Amino acid sequence: MKKITELTAELAAPAIAERGCTLWDVEYVKEAGTWYLRVLLDKEGGVDILDCEAVSRTLSDLLDEADPIEGSYTLEVGSAGAERALKRPSDFAQFLASPVLVKLYRARDGRKEFPGTLKAYDGASGDVTVTVDGADLTFSKKETALVRLRVEF
């Protein structure tokens, strides 16, 4: 049996393509006692509310028909956002040399957050190398809680 996220991605694909968008991620998570099925979109020039509404309406009907989720949940369709999390090797490849923020599970040198520029990603190990204040720092997959894009003003 397919995972809920995989099935959702397949069901949503035609509606997402019809709006000229691409699928960034699908999450099925429990927060504060409520299950959320989140579909995050990306689009050249940005995702707008009409894209989200169209995909949400179509996907909601398809999910009702397929009925893959027992119990109640909240469907959310939105933009991946300017400060989106990087998860897959292709995400890291796409955003090499971009400003990022690395968050760690445990402090290193007295801090848990490292803003810098994404220099490298090792697909085999999951290690991330970021240039922080002129120095290249490598973070192992085990110690890294999150890597996300960072918007600079």
Side-chain angles (χ1 to χ4, degrees):
M1 183 176 210
K2 289 184 181 176
K3 290 171 45 176
I4 291 168
T5 54
E6 292 171 352
L7 180 61
T8 301
E10 287 178 13
L11 290 172
I16 292 170
E18 186 176 299
R19 295 298 303 183
C21 298
T22 57
L23 179 66
W24 182 261
D25 198 10
V26 178
E27 303 173 335
Y28 185 59
V29 295
K30 190 172 190 177
E31 295 176 358
T34 301
W35 282 98
Y36 291 90
L37 180 60
R38 290 193 181 108
V39 177
L40 302 176
L41 309 176
D42 195 16
K43 182 179 180 181
E44 189 70 37
V47 174
D48 64 32
I49 191 71
L50 297 176
D51 297 324
C52 297
E53 180 184 17
V55 171
S56 179
R57 286 181 191 271
T58 302
L59 181 56
S60 179
D61 291 344
L62 293 170
L63 286 167
D64 286 346
E65 187 178 308
D67 199 22
I69 303 172
E70 291 183 25
S72 64
Y73 62 94
T74 300
L75 174 64
E76 294 180 346
V77 177
S79 168
E83 292 192 334
R84 68 192 67 186
L86 305 180
K87 298 180 180 180
R88 297 171 298 273
S90 60
D91 299 345
F92 289 94
Q94 180 180 350
F95 290 103
L96 278 175
S98 296
V100 295
L101 178 68
V102 177
K103 292 187 177 189
L104 304 179
Y105 290 112
R106 298 187 205 294
R108 181 198 276 190
D109 299 326
R111 56 196 266 210
K112 291 175 79 173
E113 295 188 359
F114 293 84
T117 303
L118 181 61
K119 181 169 184 176
Y121 175 77
D122 184 329
S125 67
D127 293 353
V128 176
T129 302
V130 177
T131 304
V132 179
D133 297 327
D136 291 344
L137 302 177
T138 299
F139 302 96
S140 71
K141 184 176 183 171
K142 281 185 175 181
E143 70 180 323
T144 305
L146 173 74
V147 178
R148 68 167 175 78
L149 293 177
R150 183 173 51 91
V151 175
E152 296 179 319
F153 294 98

